[in-house]
C-alpha cells in the first residue's frame, strides 16, 4: 500500500507542476496525474473503513483521532494562504468559514484560492458520514445496499450533469461531493469483505497478480477514453476508475502479488509524508517557481521545484503533524482487535 500511496502523491506532484508552471514537462504522466487524487480516495475508503469496522472505539474517539490527524496540517497551510494573499491568492477566495468547515468545494471554480483542498473537503465529509452510517446500518447486507444506492446516486448526478452540457472535468462535476463521493466506496467495500466475508476475501487475494494485471489494464483503458467527455465517461468514468484502483489495492493486500512483495526504495517514507506533501506542494511550487532564477522547464528548475514541494511537506510533517500524532496517541488510544490496522 505504501507503493500505491507514493505513486498517488507523485502523480499529483507531476500534474500540479504542469498546472502551476505551465507546459507538459512530465508528458503523459503529468497529463493524467489528476488520477492520484482518485487513488487517494480509494485508499482512504479502505483505511478508514477498515479502522471503523475492525476496532472498537466510540464516536468521540474516532472523531478526535481524525481531527488531530487532518486539521493541524491543513490549518497551517490555510493560514499561509490567508497571510500571503498577494502571492498565493487565486481568481477568487471563498469565505474563511467555508475553508474551516470543509465546504469550500461546493461551487468551487478553477483558478480560485487553495483549490487542491477540494479533495480534503470530500474526505472530511466522508469521515463524518461513514461512522454514522455504520451505526445506523448494523447488518452487512444493509451496508452493501446503501453503497449500491450511493453509487447509483453519483452516477445519476453525473448523468444529469452531462444532459446539461457538463463533462467529467467541468468544475460543477469535478469538484462536487455528489459526483465524487462514490470513489471512496470501493475501498469501504474491500474493508467490508475483509471484516464480514473473510473466506471470500481470502479467496480473492489468492489471485494477486491477476488482480494487478486487471487493475492496470482497466485503468489504462479508462484513461485512454476519459478525455472523450462522452456520456459513458461522464456518468460512469469516475466510478469505474475507482474500481480499477480497488483491484490494485486488492493486489497490494495480496501476499501473492508482485505489488505486495516488491519494495520500492523511498516509497514508505513518501507515503508517510504524503498528506503533508499534498497540502504544502502547490503553494511552494508557485513561490519557488516564480522566485528562482532557473528555467522552470529545464531539468534543474524542475528538480528544484519538485524538491521544494516534497521538502516543504517533510517539514510540515516533522514540525506539525508528528507532534499532534503523539498527542493523538496519548489522548485517544485505540486497542485493535480482529487484526492489526495501520491508521491513517
Amino acid at each position: 500500500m505504501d507503493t500505491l500511496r507514493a505513486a498517488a502523491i507523485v502523480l499529483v506532484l507531476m500534474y500540479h507542476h504542469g498546472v502551476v508552471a505551465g507546459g507538459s514537462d512530465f508528458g503523459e504522466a503529468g497529463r493524467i496525474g489528476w488520477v492520484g487524487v482518485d487513488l487517494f480516495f480509494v485508499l482512504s475508503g479502505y483505511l478508514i473503513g477498515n479502522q471503523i469496522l475492525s476496532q472498537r472505539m466510540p464516536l468521540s474517539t474516532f472523531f478526535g483521532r481524525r481531527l488531530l490527524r487532518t486539521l493541524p496540517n491543513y490549518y497551517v497551510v490555510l493560514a499561509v494562504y490567508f497571510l500571503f494573499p498577494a502571492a498565493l491568492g487565486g481568481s477568487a477566495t471563498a469565505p474563511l468559514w467555508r475553508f474551516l468547515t470543509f465546504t469550500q468545494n461546493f461551487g468551487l471554480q478553477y483558478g480560485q484560492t487553495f483549490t487542491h483542498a477540494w479533495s480534503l473537503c470530500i474526505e472530511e465529509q466522508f469521515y463524518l458520514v461513514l461512522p454514522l452510517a455504520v451505526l445506523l446500518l448494523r447488518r452487512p447486507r444493509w451496508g452493501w445496499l446503501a453503497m449500491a444506492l450511493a453509487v447509483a446516486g453519483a452516477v445519476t448526478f453525473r448523468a444529469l450533469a452531462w444532459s446539461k452540457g457538463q463533462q467529467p472535468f467541468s468544475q460543477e462535476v469535478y469538484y462536487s461531493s455528489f459526483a465524487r463521493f462514490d470513489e471512496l466506496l470501493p475501498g469501504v467495500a474491500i474493508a467490508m469483505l475483509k471484516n464480514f466475508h473473510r473466506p471470500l476475501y481470502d479467496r480473492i487475494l489468492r489471485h494477486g497478480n491477476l488482480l494487478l494485471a486487471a487493475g492496470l489494464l482497466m485503468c489504462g483503458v479508462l484513461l485512454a477514453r476519459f478525455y472523450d467527455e462522452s456520456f459513458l465517461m461522464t456518468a460512469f468514468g469516475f466510478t469505474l476508475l475507482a474500481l480499477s484502483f480497488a483491484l490494485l489495492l486488492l493486489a497490494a493486500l495480496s501476499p501473492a502479488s508482485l505489488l505486495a512483495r516488491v519494495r520500492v526504495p523511498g516509497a514508505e517514507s513518501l507515503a508517510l509524508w504524503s498528506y503533508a506533501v499534498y497540502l504544502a506542494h502547490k503553494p511552494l511550487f508557485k513561490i519557488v517557481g516564480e522566485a528562482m532564477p532557473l528555467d522552470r522547464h529545464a531539468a534543474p528548475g524542475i528538480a528544484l521545484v519538485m524538491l521544494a514541494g516534497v521538502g516543504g511537506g517533510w517539514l510540515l510533517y516533522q514540525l506539525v503533524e508528528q507532534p499532534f500524532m503523539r498527542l493523538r496517541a496519548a489522548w485517544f488510544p485505540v486497542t485493535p482487535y480482529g487484526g492489526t490496522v495501520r491508521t491513517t
Side-chain angles (χ1 to χ4, degrees), residues 13-14 17 26 270 273 276-277 280-282 284-285 288-289 292 294 296 298-316:
L13 288 169
M14 291 190 294
H17 182 274
F26 290 97
L270 193 53
W273 311 332
V277 171
H281 77 280
K282 201 173 178 183
L284 286 168
F285 277 8
V288 174
M292 70 179 184
L294 300 174
R296 287 188 292 178
I302 294 171
L304 183 59
V305 169
M306 298 293 279
L307 184 61
V310 175
W314 176 82
L315 270 179
L316 186 64

Side-chain angles (χ1 to χ4, degrees), residues 53 72 298:
L53 297 175

Side-chain angles (χ1 to χ4, degrees), residues 52-53 57-59 63 129-139:
I52 291 172
L53 297 175
M57 68 173 74
L59 283 181
F63 288 126
V129 170
L130 182 64
L132 299 177
V134 170
L135 282 179
L136 293 173
L137 306 169
R138 295 182 179 275
R139 297 187 178 182

